[in-house]
Amino acid sequence: MHVSSDLKVLYFGTPVVLISTRNKDGSANLAPMSSAWWLGQSCMLGMGSRSKTTENLLRERECVLNLVPSDLAGAVDLLAPLTGSDPVPDSKVAKGYRFEADKFGAAGLTAQSSEVVGAPRVEECPVQLECVVEEVHAFAGTATAFEVRVVRAHVEERLLIPGTEYVDPVGWDPLIMKFCEYFGGGVNVRASTLAEAWRMPHHGLRPVDTTAG
């Protein structure tokens, strides 16, 4: 039976992205976010209008989207209560945030030079997407939506299906934010008719038998 509910949070399940940008002084900022959706070679990012990342994106017009594997949940959680804004906005103070200039160091992550944009990549992330900002839109009163275009993609070789430029969907295990909790898995629950119709190189996958002893 369904019931009507004024849900407070609508994070039904989205991939976690570590978005790296450059601060005004040229130093790096790194922030986790999970409001992202993809189409073609572009992505729409949503974040609070008063965040340091938003400030940097508006000024620099570029970033790197570092896609997080499930085994980096600990690093993401270390970044979650940190902000690059000094002073810390009152709304974040109330939630326990604190200012941190060195986000990479605080999370135990490694900055890696990019090839096209000025913002660094996260070496530990197996998928890194260098992006430029195409459009900016006000959203929901307190948020900003950024349309970004991928200009250079870096993928760990082990994730690519040999002989193709496709990522192995079983080998890639993204960290998922679901109702503000972290999830991962990487289990193929059933074969996809859509993948077969699109002639994806992984269309022959079959679900893992979770009932086997």
Side-chain angles (χ1 to χ4, degrees):
M1 183 178 74
H2 291 75
V3 297
S4 297
S5 176
D6 294 326
L7 295 174
K8 305 301 181 186
V9 179
L10 298 177
Y11 283 88
F12 289 95
T14 52
V16 175
V17 178
L18 289 180
I19 178 169
S20 48
T21 56
R22 281 197 304 184
N23 296 317
K24 192 173 184 179
D25 64 3
S27 62
N29 186 59
L30 185 65
M33 56 91 67
S34 56
S35 295
W37 61 271
W38 314 79
L39 188 63
Q41 296 298 306
S42 295
C43 178
M44 188 68 79
L45 309 170
M47 61 199 71
S49 295
R50 297 185 62 192
S51 74
K52 189 68 173 181
T53 298
T54 294
E55 175 187 322
N56 290 347
L57 283 171
L58 290 172
R59 184 186 60 256
E60 302 290 326
R61 311 291 293 190
E62 63 181 30
C63 65
V64 180
L65 305 181
N66 303 278
L67 275 61
V68 183
S70 62
D71 59 8
L72 277 186
V76 173
D77 205 48
L78 288 172
L79 286 168
L82 306 181
T83 176
S85 297
D86 186 19
V88 180
D90 291 342
S91 59
K92 289 193 171 183
V93 170
K95 293 181 173 68
Y97 281 74
R98 63 178 178 83
F99 169 70
E100 175 57 62
D102 180 13
K103 298 279 201 70
F104 276 88
L109 298 172
T110 309
Q112 182 180 23
S113 297
S114 293
E115 296 180 358
V116 179
V117 305
R121 296 176 281 158
V122 177
E123 184 174 315
E124 290 79 4
C125 287
V127 181
Q128 310 154 331
L129 306 174
E130 300 183 40
C131 300
V132 296
V133 175
E134 295 282 311
E135 299 286 346
V136 181
H137 310 272
F139 185 79
T142 59
T144 301
F146 292 90
E147 179 188 340
V148 302
R149 176 170 50 86
V150 177
V151 293
R152 182 66 53 83
H154 307 268
V155 183
E156 281 192 8
E157 187 175 9
R158 65 179 177 81
L159 290 183
L160 293 175
I161 296 174
T164 78
E165 293 184 350
Y166 288 89
V167 170
D168 178 357
V170 171
W172 168 231
D173 181 21
L175 180 64
I176 298 295
M177 175 66 73
K178 185 163 56 173
F179 292 109
C180 295
E181 298 288 349
Y182 304 112
F183 287 84
V187 175
N188 183 210
V189 295
R190 63 160 294 142
S192 168
T193 302
L194 183 63
E196 186 171 359
W198 280 65
R199 298 182 180 177
M200 301 296 281
H202 49 78
H203 69 79
L205 291 177
R206 289 297 178 265
V208 172
D209 184 1
T210 58
T211 63

